[in-house]
Amino acid sequence: MAQVEKRGGLLRKSSAYKKPLKEKVVLMYDEIFMTEDPSKCSPRFWEELFLMKVNLEYLEGKLESLDGEELMKIKENINCLFQHCIQALGEEHPIRVVNALQTLCALIRGVHQKNKSTSGFDIINMLMGFDKAELCMKNLMESLDSLLCAEGSESLKSLCLKLLLCLVTVTDNISQNTILEYVMINSIFEAILQILSHPPSRREHGYDAVVLLALLVNYRKYESVNPYIVKLSIVDDEATLNGMGLVIAQALSEYNRQYKDKEEEHQGGFFSALTNMVGSMFIADAHEKISVQTNEAILLALYEAVHLNRNFITVLAQSHPEMGLVTTPVGPAPATPATPLGTTPPSADVISSVELPLDADVQTSNLLITFLKYSSIVMQDTKDEHRLHSGKLCLIILTCIAEDQYANAFLHDDNMNFRVNLHRMPMRHRKKAADKNLPCRPLVCAVLDLMVEFIVTHMMKEFPMDLYVRCIQVVHKLLCYQKKCRVRLHYTWRELWSALINLLKFLMSNETVLLAKHNIFTLALMIVNLFNMFITYGDTFLPTPSSYDELYYEIIRMHQSFDNLYSMVLRLSTNAGQWKEAASKVTHALVNIRAIINHFNPKIESYAAVNHISQLSEEQVLEVVRANYDTLTLKLQDGLDQYERYSEQHKEAAFFKELVRSISTNVRRNLAFHTLSQEVLLKEFSTIS
Amino acid sequence: MMVVLELFLLSEACLEARSLAVAMGDTVVEPAPLKPTSEPTPGPSGNNGGSLLSVITEGVGELSVIDPEVAQKACQEVLEKVKLLHGGVAISSRGTPLELVNGDGVDSEIRCLDDPPSQIREEEDEMGATVASGTAKGARRRRQNNSAKQSWLLRLFESKLFDISMAISYLYNSKEPGVQAYIGNRLFCFRNEDVDFYLPQLLNMYIHMDEDVGDAIKPYIVHRCRQSINFSLQCALLLGAYSSDMHISTQRHSRGTKLRKLILSDELKPAHRKRELPSLSPAPDTGLSPSKRTHQRSKSDATASISLSSNLKRTASNPKVENEDEPVRLAPEREFIKSLMAIGKRLATLPTKEQKTQRLISELSLLNHKLPARVWLPTAAFDHHVVRVPHTQAVVLNSKDKAPYLIYVEVLECENFDTTNVPARIPENRIRSTRSVENLPECGITHEQRAGSFSTVPNYDNDDEAWSVDDIGELQVELPEVHTNSCDNISQFSVDSITSQESKEPVFIAAGDIRRRLSEQLAHTPTAFKRDPEDPSAVALKEPWQEKVRRIREGSPYGHLPNWRLLSVIVKCGDDLRQELLAFQVLKQLQSIWEQERVPLWIKPYKILVISADSGMIEPVVNAVSIHQVKKQSQLSLLDYFLQEHGSYTTEAFLSAQRNFVQSCAGYCLVCYLLQVKDRHNGNILLDAEGHIIHIDFGFILSSSPRNLGFETSAFKLTTEFVDVMGGLDGDMFNYYKMLMLQGLIAARKHMDKVVQIVEIMQQGSQLPCFHGSSTIRNLKERFHMSMTEEQLQLLVEQMVDGSMRSITTKLYDGFQYLTNGIM
């Protein structure tokens, strides 16, 4: 058999550039594309076919050239080929299995190419025939399942996953891919879990497995009961969940690393670092692009895990000290094309989870930290559509995290202090903070920092209203937890307050532009209510009495902004415009802030007058504040510490559909690149026999 | 522990020899055998000798059991020997070896039993039997010469006064194999805890002394190893640690190493120990309930066609399923200890405290994955299984180049470590998920409460129900219906805003109240230490233990189980704890002496587990922080700190704290003097919440001192600060302090032998620095000043106190420590 193979190889090589001589396999393909049954004249036709090296280009090209009607003519032969492929999957010799898998890829892709608009059922009919489809797919899925779970070759498993990915992403809209109905019935979920729970297979295939899972979960998510959703939501095996977390963390940290390298490359120029970096974002080379896109898939996987599976929350805090090690050798899938399949040196990543590296520079990290860093990079720039999507998804994930009690518990755990280097956008009016001087703090501080950072860096014409709303919601949810559990976080709240006030200022100064597109009052109301939270419930979560004084100081200092806001909402709520109701809510919410301003301002003025000081120092203002608390009465507002739970189905469905579509396209594009370079694979197996 | 001891005397026609057989009884007491012992008692008894013959029973109720078959076999062997001797010289040595030859005078005390076989119970150990045959001859040879002397000895041994301390002393000092063998047997009738105290001594003798001693000790050790897995572990560890000073070539073939191998090889696994069927296991409902629940959960969750259990079977082999025939019973525990040590080694390579702490936390979180397991903390006093290490609570302790660390360990108490099943794992977030935000009934303060009477708010008052895990419904993971359900979840926000607009009466609060509550609530915890990345342990140690337990329990998925306990342990890697162990023993001995003599001195010996010559574990002293930490954190003098913590001079709290301080100070001054404890800087002296001081770190005692610089020449450390707390040099408390020292010294002197003996035996074969030089023991004895009158002693105490007060070297040493290590 090996001889046949070799001869085939030789022939192919010599014929590569000389047209007249055709490969044997090509001749055989041609036979299939006749209307007659190819096995009629040569009974061993199918057996021989799978011994030949697959010529993907030819086969796919041939299929693509046919439209639906033409295809229907040779349907019998196509069906036959499909069936025999599936049969060959059960063969002992891996060469046949490999060839069958690749042929299947080509078949599925080729048939879809010309028939984008055709209904899913017709495509099933073309490929398998209605009558046999169910059995066919059952056999296919079972074969794939057993190949994935067997102790077999890693490259074979990888090819199986590629086939599955190919199958899942073959349509732009995953929910229109009717073949997946069979994948729902014949679940591959357990095989995916198994890959994730075993470290060796996780290293090889984790990335593909996670992406595949994320995509499968999104199949007809809102219309029917997707068994993958059900199953994913009840996984509680820690090894598996950790495996999944590791894969995600690795992919994200790989991205962070690449970004950092890029950033360092571009630094040193005397020109504003800003232009440099933004430039580098857009003139990114192909590799960079790939990594950006694939990370959306990973982010989606992270989202689904966090959103669906409560047990996964613990994984977020699980330390991954080994992460620092994955610098070069084994990256996630984007790097795999460089390292031929199945030939990755096993020594590269053999650190068992117990033996931790001794490198002192490697800071122990966890998925959440990696994710926060990643978010800080992605959210820097939201102009690009991909990045806008990613940024939004990051905020959605943070929302889910901020709602979870367990996640909050470790976010606020005083004993779990970390130094999180968030990326900060270099801006003209501020210097890049020195990384080393960061204090070690509970993780929630990093989340708050990230939110503050977002708030101050996105006040622009293309106002990302949606992201702002989410951002404020995250802060609010964290505060609700702190209030409820009486966590007194030592955080410099002042930064948050001034960021929020600046945002209010921005909203007012761009009132006309913004009002044309957005309802700015919901955002304003949320901001004001955050302040109300501090004002009325500050005693339950502020770290010191002086921080409460500082809050008052900040409000009094910035009273102009609140005054302006009040006059604006008052104006709009008395008019009978479309914003009447929204604006009047804000007026009501402002009652305490206005009370504070009206109470203290005269006192401060008289203090200044009495002491003959024109400009009071902060200390003097605080003194006045402290002295005059008792005569101030506040109104307790309802529902300050309540929030609406995140719900995907109604509000976010469109977003996720779009996201999945773009992920599908990317995965498909990258797949084309991968599957064609299987020489190594063949070499590996040709030596076996 | 509960031991039936029987002494049988076999007598032969010729009275030339009587053999005393001590038969040990981890026996199944059947009613029948009791008869022969009680029946023939009549004759000469009535005197104390009867105790020799009658059945001494301690705690009849609970009997550990030896395999009857083995016992029977042993008995038969012994019987054969008896017969043999019958025919021959007529010395019978039954199984257990001691032959006491008594002059005719003692005859009356010795019961003759005509029918030895009938007396023999099934209790014999085969070990005992072999030992017996070995020593029998030698003993016989010597017996004639020493008969008179030994008869007195026998009386002593039989007397009620003969305690374990004396037994150890005779075992060590006697050159007579017979005596040694007798004591070896006699060990069986002491309480286990009493013998356990001397385990280091026994094992050190076993390793380093001659064969006879070893032979006498071995049966007891083997017997106890069979009974208790913890004992086995301790023995194995100590044997390893105390053998390590031997030359490597001799060590390999030494007795200690062999016995260690025997213990580790698991041959001493009790033959009868069959893991009880789970259904019979005594406490299945506590330990196993979580697993039950998980099962139910998955069942209820499995919708229609999906069966989760079958899915998971295919994924990773479930490590939680316990192997019925686990390979070696000590293996999991040794693995556990090994991984703790490995963590310590890796931490030592990291440069900063912060990195160490982070690494520690992450390493422990990995360790958690393997728990619960059949492992336990040897420093604990009760049987338990370790279920979880709350990794975020662990702290790295202050040490310059090593990385000792403190971990808290959650355990589930069980009746019997061996037979109780290992508790099932409960995933980390299981408990938390029930308290997630949406499930809680609004537990914060509602606005009515807020507006109305609002005293200081306790944490959560009535939401206990919400926190319990019992609500399976709550635990259920969201199924996809969530998507459909969530629409019912009408926006709370909007609803509330609407209601607030048309609300009834607006609620008003005063801003001043909010501000006041804030400062009041913060004032409630004024003594908590501030977090310091350079000293992470300070905060952790300052937190009151009960509070910590409550907090960790709340956050633990196992916290709801009634048998949940929290333990803590310091893991030391790279430190030799054998001296610590020695110090612990001496302290413990002194403590019991002072208790016996009713001297109200206070010391706190803390438990030590020697793992090897360079690693071990320490039971931390709870509710105590070092004086260094106190001073650094509070920036107060010690006296002011006392005033801050306990109240002003005249308060009850201050006075009792002061008394505690004095009593502990006196106790430790004596300890420091007697043991010559050095390296007494403030980082090594703790202060507990009740005002006691506690000395830790006995790395430099007896003949060793740090770098031998000759600092700290005073008898003990007594700074003016300490005296200030006692109320100054003229105060009553200071006199009380000196008086306590005198009383303590007198009491200690009375029982000097008990103290010296501990040290002396450990010197055997030891290379420890504390035994450096040849005069260690002599100097130690001299410090008890046996020859002095009490007046002289009083003078001595005065001198020592004066000397220490004035000692320039103490101050110098503190200054030195401040300069080199930053210890205040």
Side-chain angles (χ1 to χ4, degrees), chain B residues 576-630:
Chain B
D576 187 352
L577 295 187
R578 288 176 293 174
Q579 281 186 191
E580 287 280 348
L581 180 60
L582 180 64
F584 162 75
Q585 286 189 297
V586 172
L587 259 75
K588 197 89 185 159
Q589 195 72 289
L590 286 171
Q591 192 184 36
S592 72
I593 289 168
W594 289 331
E595 193 186 345
Q596 193 185 329
E597 300 294 329
R598 296 174 201 283
V599 186
L601 288 173
W602 190 96
I603 50 175
K604 168 97 187 159
Y606 49 88
K607 282 191 196 160
I608 301 289
L609 177 76
V610 172
I611 290 172
S612 69
D614 67 345
S615 60
M617 294 187 195
I618 300 177
E619 180 193 37
V621 183
V622 298
N623 292 332
V625 283
S626 76
I627 291 186
H628 158 69
Q629 285 167 334
V630 165

Side-chain angles (χ1 to χ4, degrees), chain A residues 61 152 423 467 640:
Chain A
H423 285 263
L467 301 193
L640 286 179

Side-chain angles (χ1 to χ4, degrees), chain B residues 713-727:
Chain B
T713 49
S714 61
F716 41 78
K717 174 165 174 167
L718 184 66
T719 60
T720 42
E721 239 184 334
F722 282 23
V723 179
D724 287 345
V725 176
M726 295 185 204

Side-chain angles (χ1 to χ4, degrees), chain B residues 645-714:
Chain B
E645 290 284 295
H646 304 286
S648 65
Y649 291 106
T650 49
T651 59
E652 183 74 30
F654 177 82
L655 289 174
S656 89
Q658 190 188 39
R659 192 180 55 246
N660 288 337
F661 182 81
V662 168
Q663 288 172 349
S664 59
C665 213
Y668 275 106
C669 283
L670 279 180
V671 168
C672 287
Y673 168 65
L674 293 175
L675 274 184
Q676 290 293 297
V677 184
K678 298 297 175 199
D679 197 23
R680 292 301 88 198
H681 55 75
N682 284 339
N684 279 339
I685 304 173
L686 307 185
L687 185 69
D688 79 1
E690 293 163 334
H692 297 115
I693 61 160
I694 300 130
H695 282 244
I696 57 164
D697 189 350
F698 297 94
F700 297 100
I701 51 171
L702 298 170
S703 300
S704 71
S705 76
R707 275 155 292 178
N708 291 313
L709 276 175
F711 281 131
E712 299 183 281
T713 49
S714 61

Side-chain angles (χ1 to χ4, degrees), chain B residues 350-364:
Chain B
L350 296 173
T352 67
K353 282 257 167 57
E354 195 183 298
Q355 278 172 317
K356 283 179 188 174
T357 309
Q358 280 187 4
R359 170 60 64 87
L360 175 65
I361 289 175
S362 69
E363 294 257 16
L364 289 175

Side-chain angles (χ1 to χ4, degrees), chain A residues 238 360 419 488 630 634 642, chain B residues 354-355 425 496 509 516:
Chain A
E238 279 171 17
R419 204 163 274 180
R488 298 187 187 278
D630 280 329
L634 300 169
Q642 272 149 9
Chain B
E354 195 183 298
Q355 278 172 317
R425 182 176 173 82
D496 284 320
I509 41 175
R516 213 164 298 124

